[in-house]
Amino acid sequence: MRSRVFLLEVLVCLLFTAAGLCACGASGDAQLADCPFSQLNWNSSIREVVAEEGEEHGSYDSVYGGVCYTYPREFEERMGTVKYMFDGDGVLASIAWAWGTDSQEELLSLYHTIYDSVSAQCGESGYSAEHQTNYGGVWYRDNGDIILSVMITSETKALQFSFLSPAVSSGGQAEAR
């Protein structure tokens, strides 16, 4: 009888440990999951973004109802723009890096490098578009979706690599759509 109680206690401890480890990626987690171009997290305020990135920034209306702050940022040996998008309540909703080029070949090379890297870390994309004028992947995750997109037109060749907060992500709900 004692051995069964002991075994049950061990199983309960293992269950709580496993649940705790799984909760690290849960939607309430403030940590930004593996974002290679920012050290800020979902609890970061506008003041903290400015303190980290500097006073010199561009800004425009965010698609989330607040303001988007932009800063020059090098990533993958290319100079682009990091974007911190806030919602109407001043909560960080998205962090993205955008880059444009004149070279379609260079754009697609960077796209495939990032796509392969994210797929290696997060598994296959839950959505992939491979059209002549746009490419993209979405990784639906409980701790915030990752979106990689490319747009190619005669005037524009651009890539955006976005991390969405859990509050604006579908986070694994892709099957429900």
Side-chain angles (χ1 to χ4, degrees):
M1 180 70 172
R2 270 190 172 184
S3 64
R4 286 185 184 181
V5 171
F6 177 74
L7 183 59
L8 182 61
E9 288 174 346
V10 169
L11 288 174
V12 169
C13 287
L14 287 173
L15 179 64
F16 282 120
T17 302
L21 290 173
C22 292
C24 291
S27 60
D29 195 355
Q31 190 63 28
L32 197 60
D34 306 320
C35 180
F37 47 84
S38 179
Q39 299 303 312
L40 297 172
N41 66 50
W42 299 126
N43 289 333
S44 297
S45 67
I46 294 169
R47 184 174 294 159
E48 289 169 314
V49 168
V50 172
E52 176 76 19
E53 299 288 351
E55 294 287 335
E56 295 295 318
H57 57 77
S59 64
Y60 59 89
D61 291 341
S62 165
V63 296
Y64 301 104
V67 177
C68 177
Y69 296 88
T70 64
Y71 297 88
R73 173 66 44 83
E74 185 175 310
F75 174 65
E76 291 290 330
E77 300 177 5
R78 293 162 178 92
M79 185 54 74
T81 302
V82 66
K83 305 174 184 183
Y84 296 94
M85 297 182 195
F86 288 86
D87 69 12
D89 295 323
V91 176
L92 186 57
S94 173
I95 299 177
W97 180 80
W99 175 71
T101 181
D102 293 329
S103 169
Q104 184 171 337
E105 293 77 24
E106 187 178 5
L107 182 71
L108 294 178
S109 174
L110 178 60
Y111 166 79
H112 288 294
T113 297
I114 296 171
Y115 189 97
D116 292 346
S117 174
V118 176
S119 292
Q121 291 178 354
C122 302
E124 284 302 311
S125 168
Y127 170 83
S128 291
E130 295 264 345
H131 304 286
Q132 187 174 5
T133 58
N134 66 4
Y135 293 77
V138 181
W139 290 264
Y140 301 102
R141 300 152 7 113
D142 290 337
N143 60 342
D145 295 346
I146 298 173
I147 301 174
L148 177 61
S149 58
V150 167
M151 181 177 62
I152 300 171
T153 68
S154 57
E155 297 87 30
T156 304
K157 293 166 186 60
L159 175 144
Q160 183 161 298
F161 185 20
S162 305
F163 287 75
L164 279 57
S165 76
V168 299
S169 293
S170 54
Q173 303 301 319
E175 296 79 24
R177 288 189 267 164

